[in-house]
């Protein structure tokens, strides 16, 4: 199931040693990486910040999944993910976050991507391995389906 999530992640959109002053700085960095990957226009970052104001994207297990609002979909050029790890941690509304998986999706693809990521991230072992991944290849491997998961 997570196969499409891994497919949406370009290794160049992975940063394993990021630093952020606060939650909004982390979100801005996620938006920049998505823009550098050619997935969104700069306007998408504001949509991501707006989403965070209405609903926290903190999932637990040290992970947040910042993404834009429905109104921000016009700024999405293609579906993509970006992964930023903050080894020093970021305060996310009172919760420590060390890993952000930023999502850019057009149309209804957003919910399918969120569901796939939730399956991976809500497994404490997989979330830990993702947080501790040492290389871009390790990050992508953790987003691949496990042997127990049916492939589609």
């Amino acid at each position: 199931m997570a196969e499409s999530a891994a497919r949406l992640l370009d290794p160049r959109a992975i940063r394993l040693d990021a630093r952020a002053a606060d939650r909004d700085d982390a979100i801005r960095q996620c938006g920049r990486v998505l823009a550098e990957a050619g997935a969104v226009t700069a306007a998408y970052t504001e949509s991501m910040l707006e989403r965070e104001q209405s609903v926290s994207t903190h999932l637990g297990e040290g992970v947040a999944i910042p993404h834009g609002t429905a109104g921000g979909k016009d700024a999405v050029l293609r579906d993509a993910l970006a992964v930023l790890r903050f080894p020093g941690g970021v305060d996310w509304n009172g919760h420590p976050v060390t890993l952000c998986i930023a999502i850019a999706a057009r149309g209804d693809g957003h919910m399918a991507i969120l569901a796939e990521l939730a399956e991976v991230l809500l497994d404490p072992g997989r979330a830990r391995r993702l947080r501790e991944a040492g290389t871009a290849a390790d990050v992508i491997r953790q987003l691949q389906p496990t042997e127990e998961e049916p492939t589609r």
Side-chain angles (χ1 to χ4, degrees):
M1 186 175 203
E3 185 173 30
S4 62
R7 181 181 47 76
L8 294 175
L9 181 58
D10 183 318
R12 296 171 294 181
I14 299 172
R15 306 286 192 278
L16 297 178
D17 197 23
R19 288 176 174 64
D22 56 27
R23 179 199 71 195
D24 288 356
D25 182 30
I27 292 170
R28 284 185 184 93
Q29 289 182 48
C30 288
R32 267 195 306 275
V33 171
L34 286 168
E36 289 168 6
V40 301
T41 67
Y44 190 67
T45 300
E46 289 307 313
S47 176
M48 294 170 76
L49 290 165
E50 184 181 327
R51 162 72 63 206
E52 197 63 43
Q53 293 301 318
S54 63
V55 177
S56 177
T57 60
H58 173 259
L59 269 187
E61 297 296 330
V63 179
I65 51 170
H67 55 282
T69 62
K73 289 191 184 298
D74 290 343
V76 177
L77 305 173
R78 65 177 177 82
D79 291 1
L81 298 176
V83 173
L84 284 77
R85 183 169 60 198
F86 298 92
V90 177
D91 177 13
W92 210 277
N93 303 327
H95 303 283
V97 165
T98 56
L99 185 72
C100 287
I101 301 178
I103 302 169
R106 302 176 79 194
D108 294 330
H110 212 120
M111 295 310 292
I113 294 168
L114 286 169
E116 291 173 8
L117 288 174
E119 187 172 311
V120 172
L121 299 172
L122 294 177
D123 175 330
R126 288 183 79 184
R128 178 185 50 75
R129 288 189 299 277
L130 191 55
R131 285 191 313 270
E132 296 173 356
T135 66
D138 291 340
V139 170
I140 292 169
R141 189 176 309 106
Q142 289 307 313
L143 292 176
Q144 297 290 337
T146 63
E147 290 182 24
E148 303 85 50
E149 293 176 302
T151 55
R152 296 178 189 213

